[in-house]
Amino acid sequence: MYLSRHDVYSPRWHPGIKDWESQSGERPPEEEMPVRRRRRRERFGRRFQRWSKRSKIDYFDEEEGVRLDIIDLPGSYTIISPSTEDEKVTLRYLQQDTPDVIVNVVDATNLPRNLLLTTALLEFNIPMVVCLNQVDLARRMGIEIDAKKLEALLGVPVIPTVAVHGTNLKLLLRTAAKTGAIEGVQQKPRRMLFPDGIEAKLRTLERRLAKMQLCPMNLPLRIVALQLLEEYAQCAQCVESSQESEDAVKIVSKIRKDIEQEFDGDIVSILGEKRQQYAVYITEQVQHGKGKRVPLTEKISAVLTHRLAGLPIAALILIGSLLLIFAVGAIFEATVGEFWEAFINPTADYLITTFIPSPIVQIILFYGLVLGIQGWLFIAVPFVATFYIILSVLEDTGYLARIAFLLDAFMHRLGLHGRAIIPLLTGMGCNVPAVLGTRILNTRRERIIAGLLVVLVPCSAQLAVILGTVGLYASIFLAFIILGIVFAIIIGLGALLQHTLPGASHGLVMEIPPLRAPRLRPTLKKTWLRFREFVYIALPLIIIGGAILGLLLYFPTPDFSYLHIVSILAAPLVVGWLGLPPETAAALIYGILRKELTVELLVILANGPINLFMTARQMFVFALVTTLYIPCIATVAVLVREYRWKYTLILAFSTITLAFLVGGIVNWMLLGLGFP
């Protein structure tokens, strides 16, 4: 991210942060300045002279501003002795890639729980700014927080924000930038002191570790002492590998035993209880109002997350979303599609054949440019873009998290449960981030199960294939049957793996965001960030693929082309078993690059609507096979990185076998039922 010169050197001042103003750049002549403005310039100029020697000049360009590299770490509630993968990732980053400043986002509606992480971060000796977010929602709940008093109690800047409206975000970034860049201004955070003699024992342990020079993993001594007391395995292994490990282990064991005997409990529970009490104490000092007022959105949320009422509502919303995507596609086909077929294709064909003498160039231009853009336009715009708009709305309103909550309870009985629900839902947008999302799972067993099931979840491109073929040209009812078959396979495999793979699964622990009305600009921006790869990546691939397909159709001769040879070789499987036209073999092969390319190449092969090229039964089988078989090449690359080649090859072979097996069985069942 980049802050402009005006944002960086703004005269706005925040307590604890020394502001300054650049002396470089053009200034109006003194005589043209008002007296008050000239005095203000002189005052800020003196301040800049005083502090410029203490600033890291490489961070700031006085002419252009400052560049900020923002790293979004996984959400955590504590990181001193992490137990989940999210917390371990956060701790690993803080100790290996120490940032210049931490921006700790705190939910103003749930201050006691969020301050647990804040008090833990204060132990790391890293400059920090607290972002007190959702103050508007807290106010509607009857909660008022004194940000200045909270700042005094924590000893670090506290900036109240409303992120969805952009309130105070520039001030937050400017404060964070200056907090991390000024060497002369040292923060004095007020760290938590454990009561009842625990603090004295903890400091004794710190002194003994300092004498032994035991400070592993680039962490402050206090954190190392706490990790050893709480028996954090990674820290214990580092200490055990040192020369004085035996003495350190004895000291830690004695202090842990003393604390547990004194408070009659487990050391982790004791320290956790004291941290919670400290967070509650700070909350009582700065928070006014008990939050008894229940906003209307919370009442609606209670209905949406209710087990009896929430599931039917979620089903209706998901079905309604698919019907909306289908409706947009049908309207687009009836308007833009007919116009394209009636005017664009004949006009382009006439211009190309008239002004381009070379037959090869004619084929490349017509099949690559004209039909390629047509195939992309009819699939990417009405189906993929509409899906991403709906997905963005569900995310921005907070309803997607509520669907995850509801599906967790439902799928738990079927073998799919715990945090695996989140990447499975993400897979409906794109399988690539869904595979990466399996990192949040606690065990490798859960990651293996989720990795297999995620690639079977129909992504937006596969939904475009289903709705753009079966839904648009056959029946929307048949499209829902395909989705039902796919999800039945996912549920069945999940239940099978759940009962066959050894190990236990964990339940879902998540914080549900508040319900909010979606805002147009963020929704469109998020949609574009997801959709742009269909413009920058898919469109060139379609144009190139269409050109290659056109050449394969006409060379070496139109009667016996290369595509005809491929069709003959694939005929036993594609024609004999699946009952598809022989030319679809090329579309299935090309679909490995991107799934939506399959139906877009069918548009090129049909030179118009797909129903002129395939029957309803063939479209049904084709869409089903395309949805189930090997994921796109981008997903394969991510699977290799996350699970290595062996697992990826097994998964690819399994999905291909499953797709052709199910596709063939369905084909013969439809033939038996009399489908042409």
Side-chain angles (χ1 to χ4, degrees), residues 295-315:
L296 177 62
T297 54
E298 292 302 311
K299 297 178 181 178
I300 297 174
S301 178
V303 176
L304 294 178
T305 54
H306 193 273
R307 289 189 175 183
L308 295 179
L311 284 173
I313 293 173

Side-chain angles (χ1 to χ4, degrees), residues 184-422:
V185 178
Q186 298 294 332
Q187 288 189 339
K188 295 181 179 179
R190 300 186 63 177
R191 298 179 177 86
M192 172 187 173
L193 300 179
F194 287 94
D196 304 324
I198 298 178
E199 185 66 31
K201 294 181 176 64
L202 185 60
R203 294 196 176 187
T204 300
L205 178 58
E206 288 182 50
R207 288 193 295 269
R208 299 296 295 271
L209 293 176
K211 290 181 180 179
M212 298 177 183
Q213 296 182 346
L214 292 177
C215 188
M217 301 183 295
N218 190 29
L219 290 173
L221 270 175
R222 185 177 181 84
I223 294 180
V224 175
L226 289 170
Q227 288 183 345
L228 290 174
L229 287 176
E230 295 179 340
E231 298 183 284
Y232 179 47
Q234 187 175 355
C235 182
Q237 291 173 1
C238 293
V239 171
E240 289 173 2
S241 62
S242 63
Q243 295 180 353
E244 302 186 44
S245 60
E246 293 185 5
D247 294 337
V249 170
K250 290 179 181 178
I251 296 170
V252 171
S253 299
K254 182 180 183 305
I255 294 178
R256 184 191 303 119
K257 185 177 180 180
D258 292 343
I259 295 175
E260 289 180 342
Q261 287 180 348
E262 182 177 351
F263 294 92
D264 190 22
D266 176 72
I267 185 69
V268 176
S269 302
I270 295 169
L271 297 182
E273 182 182 354
K274 300 304 179 184
R275 293 187 182 107
Q276 185 65 50
Q277 291 174 357
Y278 183 66
V280 171
Y281 164 76
I282 295 179
T283 302
E284 292 173 349
Q285 299 298 310
V286 301
Q287 179 174 304
H288 307 288
K290 302 298 183 181
K292 295 182 179 179
R293 189 187 310 159
V294 180
L296 177 62
T297 54
E298 292 302 311
K299 297 178 181 178
I300 297 174
S301 178
V303 176
L304 294 178
T305 54
H306 193 273
R307 289 189 175 183
L308 295 179
L311 284 173
I313 293 173
L316 290 175
I317 290 177
L318 292 176
I319 294 173
S321 300
L322 293 175
L323 290 175
L324 178 60
I325 296 172
F326 167 75
V328 172
I331 295 171
F332 198 86
E333 172 68 20
T335 54
V336 180
E338 292 185 1
F339 173 78
W340 193 283
E341 290 291 334
F343 296 99
I344 301 298
N345 280 354
T347 303
D349 187 27
Y350 171 77
L351 293 175
I352 290 173
T353 54
T354 303
F355 296 101
I356 305 296
S358 173
I360 296 178
V361 179
Q362 290 177 1
I363 293 171
I364 291 174
L365 289 178
F366 185 76
Y367 279 88
L369 201 60
V370 180
L371 295 183
I373 293 177
Q374 179 186 0
W376 176 84
L377 190 66
F378 290 172
I379 297 300
V381 174
F383 295 107
V384 178
T386 305
F387 174 81
Y388 278 141
I389 290 174
I390 294 174
L391 184 64
S392 299
V393 170
L394 292 178
E395 286 181 341
D396 292 345
T397 56
Y399 186 64
L400 196 62
R402 286 161 176 80
I403 294 178
F405 174 79
L406 289 170
L407 290 181
D408 172 64
F410 174 70
M411 302 297 281
H412 187 280
R413 303 173 184 176
L414 302 174
L416 292 174
H417 57 150
R419 303 179 75 180
I421 295 298
I422 298 175

